[in-house]
Amino acid sequence: MTEALAKEQWNRVLMDLQERVGADVFKLWLRSTLIVRLEPELIEVGVPNLVVSDWLKSQYSEDILNSVSRVVGFRPADIKYSVNGHLFRQLRKQEETARRASGEPVAKDRNDEAPPKQVFNLNERYTLDRVIVGPNNQLAFNCSWEVARKPGQAFNPLFIYGKTGVGKTHLLQGIAREVLERFPSKETLYIPAEYFVNQYVNALQRRDVDAFRRRFRSLDVLIIDDLHFLGGKDVSQEELLHTFNTLEQAGKQVVLASDQHPRELEEFKEQLTTRFMQGMIAEIKLPPRNTRLAIIKSKLEGHRQLFPQSVVEYLADKLECNVRELEGYVTRLVALAGLTGEKVTLHLAEQALQDFVSARSRMVELNDIENVVIAHYGVTSQQLHSRLRKRPVALARQVCMFLARRLTSYSLKEIGRYFGGKNHTTVVFAVQAIEAKVEKSRALNDEVEHLRRTLLGENRNGG
């Protein structure tokens, strides 16, 4: 059944349902739905969140199947509910309007400056409503959504694991954004584990551990990415264990992500891994074909007319890779199509795919570079984007520009604009400065190489 026909049939089904269940029930549970798939073997209904999904599944699945049978002429063998980003955003706007009317605190605009404790610049694309949910990440997404709605109540700790590029960081930053928007007063912090280690080491050197502990143990939500970086760092692990215990006893939320299951983490204290395993553990796997198809379609938004269905199907069949690589390849094809303004042929897609598969290069974003550098040098995003010229900040900024020039296709102007509104000559100077410094300093050369390998997923601790 075509998309247009399925949509038309679903509108008729909704009309039938409204008559059967009544206006109040329909308005509350069924009006904000859409059809994803309508076939004899399966009907998939898009819903705004998991609450609606659970309620429809338990209360109204039979009514929906009966209405489909009456209106369409066949009764699907099964019914499935999936969270839809568009409906998700619509419902959130309605919730904010209601909170505003009742005088409750409302969500901050996403373009607002991050609160003081959130030192990392969260990627604006990493929101929960933009996650493409499939069997590979369904449990992880469901848990993330519940944690964002009920921090400290749902799953604590939540431990997400999976290989590089499968979407762990997207979920973690999505939780952070959602909590910050739903609960503006909650102190929420997203950090890579490297940042935690560096801040603790700095506190030890300054003999100011009490300030470090006050900062991290007073949080409402602590989200730590790339946890495997703590492997072998016994002192930092001990501090994390005490931080974890303090937050848990206070009913605060902890979310963690790693490239391995807790029991497989190398060089970790048993006390720590045992605590991780007391919470919810959710794995993210490589996306299967249908999920890859949905990811591709989402990336083609606004350019769909340039990609025939045969090309979309071909990409979904051939690109058996992680989400980051998949998005990187499709982004390149979209850029190519945008330049020519012509439809992408199957032959062109095959040629481009050969190049991509041979390179298997990870798509690196400026935001990725910024977060990795911030974690390594212990500066904040605000400092990095400022005009501060103190040595640690200036060096971190120059390293960012150097890596951006080496690992991305962004222009000098775009790199300069991102990193504090600098002009292209500043970027050129930064690149040349780092090139000269790494030749003279083995330590700096090793630092930059470590960061490069982390961004490309070549370090075990870089996932």
Side-chain angles (χ1 to χ4, degrees):
M1 186 178 296
T2 65
E3 187 176 334
L5 180 57
K7 184 176 180 180
E8 178 185 336
Q9 296 281 37
W10 182 244
N11 287 334
R12 294 173 57 205
V13 169
L14 289 177
M15 292 173 63
D16 182 77
L17 280 167
Q18 185 170 8
E19 293 180 4
R20 306 279 172 175
V21 304
D24 290 340
V25 169
F26 177 83
K27 181 179 179 181
L28 186 60
W29 299 111
L30 290 159
R31 184 174 65 178
S32 295
T33 61
L34 52 78
I35 194 66
V36 178
R37 183 179 176 187
L38 182 54
E39 303 291 347
E41 66 274 13
L42 176 69
I43 175 176
E44 183 176 350
V45 181
V47 296
N49 59 42
L50 293 172
V51 175
V52 175
S53 171
D54 292 344
W55 188 255
L56 291 181
K57 189 182 298 181
S58 63
Q59 302 293 325
Y60 292 105
S61 287
E62 278 299 309
D63 291 290
I64 294 172
L65 290 172
N66 290 337
S67 284
V68 172
S69 179
R70 283 190 294 269
V71 172
V72 185
F74 61 77
R75 182 185 175 87
D78 196 11
I79 185 168
K80 173 184 176 183
Y81 303 95
S82 58
V83 176
N84 177 272
H86 174 68
L87 298 176
F88 184 103
R89 288 188 290 272
Q90 278 189 334
L91 186 64
R92 183 159 53 197
K93 287 180 181 178
Q94 293 170 9
E95 291 175 346
E96 289 185 4
T97 300
R99 284 201 295 270
R100 198 175 281 114
S102 66
E104 294 182 28
V106 297
K108 296 182 179 182
D109 188 273
R110 286 184 179 174
N111 292 323
D112 285 353
E113 185 178 337
K117 289 217 174 195
Q118 183 52 62
V119 296
F120 284 85
N121 181 22
L122 300 177
N123 191 321
E124 63 180 14
R125 296 186 298 110
Y126 289 171
T127 57
L128 292 181
D129 55 300
R130 291 185 178 179
V131 176
I132 304 299
V133 182
N136 60 306
N137 64 353
Q138 181 78 61
L139 177 61
F141 174 80
N142 289 355
C143 294
S144 298
W145 170 236
E146 286 300 306
V147 163
R149 289 177 62 241
K150 305 172 184 176
Q153 302 177 44
F155 306 107
N156 203 13
L158 171 59
F159 192 105
I160 298 173
Y161 76 100
K163 295 180 180 179
T164 297
V166 293
K168 301 186 296 295
T169 297
H170 188 149
L171 282 181
L172 264 60
Q173 292 199 18
I175 292 171
R177 276 189 172 277
E178 193 67 26
V179 172
L180 286 167
E181 291 183 358
R182 285 177 171 271
F183 310 100
S185 62
K186 286 191 180 296
E187 293 288 358
T188 302
L189 180 64
Y190 162 87
I191 55 169
E194 185 176 4
Y195 181 82
F196 182 89
V197 172
N198 289 341
Q199 290 297 297
Y200 183 54
V201 170
N202 290 340
L204 288 173
Q205 292 173 345
R206 296 193 308 267
R207 297 183 180 181
D208 194 17
V209 175
D210 287 343
F212 172 90
R213 288 171 178 165
R214 283 195 301 272
R215 179 189 185 195
F216 282 92
R217 299 183 190 185
S218 64
L219 292 168
D220 294 297
V221 181
L222 174 60
I223 303 172
I224 302 182
D225 205 350
D226 292 335
L227 189 73
H228 41 268
F229 181 82
L230 270 77
K233 299 174 175 62
D234 292 347
V235 177
S236 294
Q237 287 183 34
E238 188 71 26
E239 181 62 27
L240 178 62
L241 177 62
H242 293 306
T243 299
F244 182 96
N245 289 339
T246 301
L247 293 175
E248 185 185 46
Q249 289 168 11
K252 307 303 184 181
Q253 181 69 52
V254 178
V255 181
L256 309 161
S258 171
D259 63 358
Q260 294 172 311
H261 189 281
R263 74 168 71 92
E264 296 173 351
L265 287 170
E266 299 178 6
E267 300 183 89
F268 265 72
K269 291 178 177 292
E270 185 177 356
Q271 291 172 291
L272 204 51
T273 56
T274 301
R275 300 308 300 273
F276 298 157
M277 294 178 68
Q278 289 176 349
M280 172 60 75
I281 301 173
E283 181 183 11
I284 305 180
K285 299 180 180 179
L286 292 176
R289 189 212 184 254
N290 285 344
T291 307
R292 296 199 300 270
L293 188 63
I295 293 170
I296 291 167
K297 288 181 177 179
S298 73
K299 294 297 291 184
L300 295 180
E301 188 176 352
H303 301 273
R304 187 67 179 83
Q305 72 281 2
L306 299 178
F307 288 79
Q309 186 62 25
S310 60
V311 171
V312 176
E313 297 281 348
Y314 172 80
L315 297 178
D317 289 335
K318 297 297 182 181
L319 286 170
E320 298 183 77
C321 55
N322 66 44
V323 177
R324 187 179 292 120
E325 288 177 321
L326 179 61
E327 290 184 339
Y329 173 67
V330 176
T331 298
R332 295 179 194 184
L333 266 185
V334 167
L336 181 61
L339 287 173
T340 63
E342 298 179 0
K343 285 189 175 182
V344 176
T345 64
L346 192 57
H347 177 66
L348 179 60
E350 289 172 346
Q351 284 184 318
L353 183 60
Q354 278 185 331
D355 172 66
F356 182 77
V357 170
S358 62
R360 293 290 289 185
S361 60
R362 171 183 173 180
M363 184 184 179
V364 178
E365 289 284 355
L366 296 177
N367 181 263
D368 294 328
I369 294 171
E370 177 179 350
N371 281 345
V372 166
V373 171
I374 285 175
H376 184 79
Y377 287 103
V379 300
T380 68
S381 177
Q382 185 178 9
Q383 288 173 331
L384 204 63
H385 290 264
S386 71
R387 296 185 178 275
L388 282 176
R389 294 185 179 181
K390 293 182 180 179
R391 189 181 182 282
V393 177
L395 177 62
R397 189 184 298 121
Q398 288 181 339
V399 169
C400 280
M401 293 179 179
F402 175 82
L403 291 170
R405 192 60 178 157
R406 289 290 182 269
L407 302 180
T408 78
S409 58
Y410 287 101
S411 68
L412 293 168
K413 184 177 180 180
E414 289 170 326
I415 294 170
R417 185 188 305 127
Y418 183 87
F419 291 109
K422 308 296 188 294
N423 57 40
H424 74 282
T425 55
T426 302
V427 180
V428 171
F429 175 80
V431 172
Q432 292 174 346
I434 296 301
E435 286 175 345
K437 288 175 182 177
V438 296
E439 287 186 5
K440 297 177 181 178
S441 170
R442 177 65 180 272
L444 181 60
N445 182 72
D446 290 346
E447 282 183 14
V448 173
E449 177 62 13
H450 165 73
L451 295 171
R452 186 192 70 81
R453 292 177 64 84
T454 297
L455 286 161
L456 294 177
E458 295 174 1
N459 290 332
R460 192 193 75 75
N461 289 336

